[in-house]
């Protein structure tokens, strides 16, 4: 039995019913680009043309997970490339699009079709993540359209920073969005990500107008994002969106520290410890006080 099939069977045994959010440490090991045809022999010009068309994407990896990237068993697709530089990023190897492997959208859809019965039976589907998924909007658009034609639930995990790249047609094919609100104070957002907060708010407003189910993700980093002022600011932004069905408070961890070192990148949170249970619960209570369902 292939390793991916064994993982799928294991996940299926644990996917019944709603489950609490599991920290990233509970992920199974990703499959890289296993099982997919890597188009490494394409000429540079042809590769760029096909990426512009959306028939070719830059893929970091894919994996099968449960209770992490949306409901049920998910096939999570990690695309390469990100416009932000979050201080706590645990996948800095997804920063550059050129570091991914070129993969055809049709090949990825064939892989989704292979698993769709189990995905659907568990109430799961696909989740497109990154890096930042919207660095490759045309590829994502074709992937979403193809998945919906297969009858598979679709989810996009995004910071919303490139929400302007999401067309109305793409929104038609999205069932769920995992929206990462990294800070609620503009100056702090800039410090955490190097980007601006407003695009995330604008994208959240669009999702609310369309009534697309949204789960908010907030990474709790001691000494960085954990102040009551910041958590209150995030909650005040989120409470305005009636389509938000849950908020996930994600405890900071050091699983990506070695990657930063290997890549020769400066890692500013080297001495930061994960939040304790008391801090996590206090943070959750702030969100709950705004009428939000929190995990």
């Amino acid at each position: 039995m292939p390793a991916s099939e064994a993982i799928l069977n294991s996940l299926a045994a644990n996917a019944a019913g709603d489950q609490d959010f599991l920290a990233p440490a509970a992920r199974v090991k990703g499959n890289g680009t296993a099982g997919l045809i890597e188009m490494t022999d394409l000429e540079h010009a042809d590769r760029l043309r096909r990426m512009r068309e959306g028939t070719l994407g830059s893929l970091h990896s894919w994996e099968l997970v449960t209770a992490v990237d949306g409901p049920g068993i998910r096939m999570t697709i990690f695309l390469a490339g990100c416009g932000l530089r979050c201080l706590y990023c645990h996948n800095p190897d997804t920063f550059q699009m050129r570091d991914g492997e070129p993969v055809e959208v049709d090949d990825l859809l064939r892989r989704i079709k292979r698993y769709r019965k189990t995905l659907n039976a568990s109430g799961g589907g696909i989740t497109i993540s990154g890096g930042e998924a919207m660095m490759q909007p045309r590829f994502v658009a074709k992937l979403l359209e193809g998945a919906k034609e297969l009858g598979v639930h679709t989810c996009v995990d995004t910071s919303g920073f490139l929400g302007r790249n999401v067309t109305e047609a793409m929104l038609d094919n999205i069932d769920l969005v995992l929206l990462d609100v990294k800070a609620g104070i503009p100056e702090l957002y800039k410090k955490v990500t190097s980007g601006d907060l407003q695009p995330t708010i604008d994208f959240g407003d669009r999702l609310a107008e369309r009534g697309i189910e949204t789960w908010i993700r907030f990474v709790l980093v001691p000494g960085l994002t954990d102040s009551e002022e910041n958590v209150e600011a995030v909650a005040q932004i989120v409470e305005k969106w009636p389509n938000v069905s849950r908020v996930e408070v994600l405890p900071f961890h050091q699983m990506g520290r070695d990657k930063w070192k290997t890549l020769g990148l400066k890692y500013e949170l080297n001495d930061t410890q994960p939040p304790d249970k008391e801090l996590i619960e206090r943070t959750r209570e702030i969100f709950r006080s705004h009428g939000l369902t929190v995990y």
Side-chain angles (χ1 to χ4, degrees):
M1 177 184 294
S4 57
E5 293 286 2
I7 293 170
L8 195 61
N9 290 339
S10 176
L11 293 173
N14 295 289
D18 293 333
Q19 300 184 43
D20 287 345
F21 173 81
L22 298 179
R27 288 183 178 277
V28 295
K29 184 178 180 181
N31 292 285
T33 55
L36 300 173
I37 301 172
E38 298 174 14
M39 310 297 290
T40 53
D41 58 342
L42 288 175
E43 294 292 335
H44 182 68
D46 189 35
R47 182 182 303 185
L48 290 178
R49 176 185 61 78
R50 295 189 61 183
M51 290 188 75
R52 285 194 293 267
E53 295 172 348
T55 58
L56 192 74
S58 180
L59 180 73
H60 173 270
S61 59
W62 66 274
E63 66 183 28
L64 296 166
V65 297
T66 184
V68 177
D69 297 320
I73 296 173
R74 315 296 302 181
M75 179 177 173
T76 301
I77 299 159
F78 295 95
L79 301 182
C82 186
L84 298 180
R85 292 295 180 266
C86 298
L87 297 179
Y88 53 72
C89 181
H90 63 280
N91 285 320
D93 47 336
T94 65
F95 282 166
Q96 303 295 332
M97 197 181 302
R98 65 173 178 265
D99 292 337
E101 297 291 344
V103 173
E104 289 186 314
V105 68
D106 288 343
D107 190 29
L108 201 47
L109 287 169
R110 282 191 290 270
R111 175 69 43 168
I112 294 169
K113 184 177 181 180
R114 175 179 175 181
Y115 295 134
R116 65 174 171 176
K117 289 184 179 179
T118 302
L119 299 178
N120 290 345
S122 73
I126 67 162
T127 297
I128 306 173
S129 186
E132 169 53 58
M134 293 311 159
M135 288 283 287
Q136 303 183 54
R138 292 184 177 87
F139 183 74
V140 171
K142 289 186 178 296
L143 194 54
L144 289 169
E145 183 179 14
K148 293 310 296 179
E149 289 176 355
L150 291 171
V152 173
H153 181 276
T154 59
C155 174
V156 173
D157 181 7
T158 178
S159 69
F161 182 67
L162 293 177
R164 65 183 180 276
N165 289 347
V166 183
T167 66
E168 293 301 306
M170 289 169 70
L171 291 178
D172 289 339
N173 289 320
I174 297 175
D175 296 310
L176 173 67
V177 172
L178 309 182
L179 183 60
D180 302 313
V181 183
K182 300 170 187 292
I185 301 170
E187 297 78 13
L188 180 58
Y189 192 96
K190 174 75 74 172
K191 177 181 179 181
V192 171
T193 71
S194 78
D196 296 323
L197 170 61
Q198 192 59 46
T200 295
I201 296 175
D202 294 342
F203 186 59
D205 289 343
R206 286 181 65 196
L207 296 174
E209 290 171 3
R210 290 289 300 265
I212 296 173
E213 184 181 7
T214 299
W215 294 5
I216 300 300
R217 290 181 150 182
F218 172 73
V219 180
L220 180 62
V221 186
L224 185 64
T225 67
D226 63 333
S227 72
E228 183 174 341
E229 179 187 12
N230 181 53
V231 178
E232 279 282 353
V234 174
Q236 289 171 16
I237 292 169
V238 173
E239 69 179 351
K240 298 176 182 178
W241 298 329
N243 55 315
V244 172
S245 57
R246 65 193 284 172
V247 174
E248 296 178 341
V249 175
L250 311 185
F252 167 76
H253 59 80
Q254 288 285 10
M255 292 176 63
R257 179 166 49 190
D258 290 345
K259 290 184 180 180
W260 286 77
K261 182 178 179 180
T262 299
L263 293 169
L265 301 173
K266 181 181 179 181
Y267 184 55
E268 297 186 19
L269 303 180
N270 194 60
D271 298 323
T272 302
Q273 297 299 310
D276 57 33
K277 292 181 179 180
E278 290 75 14
L279 177 56
I280 295 170
E281 189 54 32
R282 286 201 304 273
T283 302
R284 287 172 171 164
E285 280 302 321
I286 292 174
F287 284 110
R288 291 188 184 111
S289 72
H290 287 260
L292 298 162
T293 299
V294 186
Y295 290 81

